Amino acid sequence: MSASTVIKHVEALKVFDSRGNPTIEVGIKTDKGFASAAAPSGASRGKWEVEQYPPGGIDQAINLVETLIKPRLVGLRADEQETVDELLHELDGTSNFGKIGGNTACAVSLATALAAASSKAIHLFEQLSRTTSKELPLPLGNVLGGGRHARTGKTDIQEFLVLPVGATTFLRAAEANAKVHSKIARLLQAKGNPATGKGDEGAWIADLTTDHAFETVSKACEEVSADTGVSLRIGADIAASTLWNEEQKAYVYDKDAKRLNEGEQIDHMRSLIDRYDLIYLEDPFNEESFESFSELTRTVHDTLICGDDLFVTSQARLKKGKTMNAGNAIIIKPNQVGTITDASKTAKLAAQFGYVPVTSHRSGDTPGPELAHMAIAFGSPIIKTGVVGGERVAKINELCRLEYYSYKSQPLKLAKLPIYTK
Ligand code: PGA
Ligand code: ZN
């Protein structure tokens, strides 16, 4: 049985992500299986993420798979994920995948897990799961946005998000998010301020102030909730590092025409939480502002304060955050840290610390469904993966499938959120 997962062959090639940018894909063959995986890529990347590629870019990364990684990988077992991921660290030899690139590591790591699953004819989440209790995550959907994910005529805040907290099945949850997305286009049109396009994650782009954007999302949620019976709550990813101006020591809001110092930003975030009853707030402060995360977390009750650029899926940064109670949720993006094992360990540590691990896509994503399996395996009660666009729907549809087919055998139920839902 185990011999069937022995790695026989490894290849790397160039393919494209959802933005049309080149990315690395790795194919791995065992005796009994074959799988390939590509790495996603961010536009508002955290300063402390691992390097994406070696200094020579993707071509050098492909070359390194052939000359450095493949000779050591062939002969190992694909179902020994930790051994493979440790080998990637050893071959790299730096603390930030500066030699081989985090995207190279991520593609090799994920292709390994997929090849193991393929060899054993099991699902990826079964291959990756450390526990037996598995639940389907609730989808956190990006419905309106701006920031680095759009070009001009846009909101200052990167993402306005919705969470269908009242859904009883994943299908109903995904349906509610999709209805909010389409309702927003109609509301904007009716207001005479139509969406001008969609951003990198499929969210509508419109020339709106922060308040107008929240009011529109709020109205859409109310109407969809009334139509479907599924209650929805609002969230946002401020991606505040992209608003932060180091010289001015201020958060600069172009569309809202204001500049806020750190203290004013804390007050502003508190007032947005109160005014729009936010259940989720990601990166409300610059990626170095552990103290502000801590202060906000101390004074809110039913809101997830989530660190993305703050934690970059790093155990060390999460440990630092925990000592100060900075935030109560963490984004898990495997390519921020490089391997499946690293991402999985950070998610596990988060759960031990009482932080909610939110498994997340990147703005430049790949068309595969694997993130859906990672969210289940990492024990994430929430998956952040957009609402529309093929690469986003691939993950949503996979969760619909897992829910549908599991009803016939061992039911996969929707996770319960560890916070109050009004
Ligand atoms: P990304 O970030 O553009 O770096 O993928 C998305 C996010 O901030 O969540
Ligand atoms: Zn983010």
Side-chain angles (χ1 to χ4, degrees):
M1 175 69 178
S2 62
S4 64
T5 72
V6 172
I7 295 172
K8 294 288 178 193
H9 192 66
V10 181
E11 291 278 353
L13 67 152
K14 191 185 280 186
V15 296
F16 299 89
D17 69 19
S18 58
R19 266 193 285 260
N21 291 332
T23 186
I24 186 168
E25 179 170 290
V26 170
I28 291 185
K29 198 172 179 307
T30 66
D31 267 341
K32 289 268 174 66
F34 170 80
S36 58
S41 166
S44 65
R45 303 183 63 241
K47 178 175 162 196
W48 299 104
E49 294 188 26
V50 297
E51 291 294 329
Q52 286 201 99
Y53 288 107
I58 294 182
D59 292 330
Q60 189 186 5
I62 291 170
N63 188 262
L64 284 169
V65 172
E66 180 63 29
T67 57
L68 182 72
I69 299 172
K70 177 176 155 182
R72 296 284 302 277
L73 210 54
V74 169
L76 294 185
R77 279 173 49 176
D79 60 351
E80 294 196 339
Q81 190 74 38
E82 290 202 19
T83 307
V84 169
D85 290 344
E86 270 165 29
L87 173 68
L88 292 170
H89 279 291
E90 180 205 316
L91 293 174
D92 180 81
T94 72
S95 59
N96 66 347
F97 278 118
K99 180 174 175 183
I100 68 170
N103 273 10
T104 316
C106 188
V108 172
S109 183
L110 183 54
T112 300
L114 283 165
S118 155
S119 308
K120 298 179 188 171
I122 60 173
H123 284 302
L124 179 63
F125 78 83
E126 294 169 312
Q127 173 61 29
L128 295 177
S129 289
R130 290 161 177 265
T131 59
T132 47
S133 69
K134 298 171 198 77
E135 292 178 323
L136 296 168
L138 207 58
L140 178 64
N142 185 359
V143 288
L144 181 63
R148 294 251 169 102
H149 294 169
R151 310 303 155 238
T152 52
K154 57 187 181 177
T155 55
D156 292 322
I157 289 179
Q158 183 177 282
E159 298 167 31
F160 295 83
L161 303 157
V162 291
L163 192 65
V165 291
T168 48
T169 66
F170 183 84
L171 180 64
R172 293 198 75 203
E175 222 161 28
N177 282 2
K179 282 180 191 291
V180 172
H181 187 273
S182 88
K183 178 80 74 183
I184 283 172
R186 289 203 293 280
L187 291 175
L188 291 172
Q189 182 85 38
K191 270 190 177 173
N193 197 352
T196 53
K198 287 185 200 154
D200 290 342
E201 295 179 355
W204 296 111
I205 301 170
D207 198 4
L208 300 172
T209 62
T210 297
D211 280 321
H212 281 147
F214 272 124
E215 281 156 19
T216 308
V217 177
S218 211
K219 190 160 195 311
C221 285
E222 272 166 33
E223 292 185 13
V224 169
S225 200
D227 286 354
T228 61
V230 173
S231 56
L232 290 130
R233 297 271 303 273
I234 302 176
D237 181 358
I238 310 295
S241 295
T242 66
L243 301 176
W244 178 249
N245 183 308
E246 185 59 32
E247 279 99 65
Q248 299 177 22
K249 300 274 182 248
Y251 296 91
V252 179
Y253 292 77
D254 287 333
K255 179 70 193 167
D256 292 345
K258 62 181 175 198
R259 261 156 232 270
L260 304 179
N261 65 29
E262 195 72 34
E264 291 166 337
Q265 177 77 356
I266 296 175
D267 292 341
H268 184 44
M269 292 301 116
R270 257 192 220 118
S271 90
L272 291 180
I273 289 171
D274 289 345
R275 218 171 326 148
Y276 302 107
D277 193 25
L278 303 185
I279 194 170
Y280 178 91
L281 189 61
E282 183 178 325
D283 280 351
F285 308 105
N286 169 39
E287 58 210 331
E288 308 295 2
S289 301
F290 280 91
E291 290 79 11
S292 300
F293 271 84
S294 174
E295 191 174 333
L296 183 65
T297 308
R298 208 172 37 244
T299 56
V300 298
H301 299 293
D302 300 339
T303 307
L304 293 173
I305 306 297
C306 187
D308 173 10
D309 294 346
L310 181 77
F311 294 132
V312 294
T313 318
S314 146
Q315 285 193 72
R317 287 185 71 86
L318 176 60
K319 281 178 190 162
K320 177 176 174 184
K322 173 62 185 168
T323 62
M324 309 163 63
N325 286 325
N328 52 23
I330 175 175
I331 284 284
I332 304 290
K333 291 173 172 169
N335 81 323
Q336 281 185 329
V337 65
T339 71
I340 301 293
T341 302
D342 287 294
S344 168
K345 283 185 176 168
T346 304
K348 192 174 172 203
L349 187 66
Q352 280 167 14
F353 284 172
Y355 278 58
V356 175
V358 177
T359 298
S360 169
H361 63 171
R362 302 298 312 236
S363 52
D365 218 289
T366 60
E370 295 82 17
L371 195 79
H373 292 265
M374 287 190 253
I376 297 172
F378 296 165
S380 286
I382 299 174
I383 185 170
K384 188 182 179 214
T385 186
V387 179
V388 300
E391 72 284 358
R392 318 291 153 188
V393 172
K395 285 91 176 153
I396 298 287
N397 283 358
E398 186 73 349
L399 289 162
C400 292
R401 269 177 222 117
L402 290 171
E403 180 174 67
Y404 174 85
Y405 289 111
S406 80
Y407 278 137
K408 301 184 175 176
S409 49
Q410 195 192 3
L412 278 170
K413 294 253 173 62
L414 207 51
K416 296 246 179 320
L417 289 182
I419 49 171
Y420 299 116
T421 53
K422 292 171 209 159

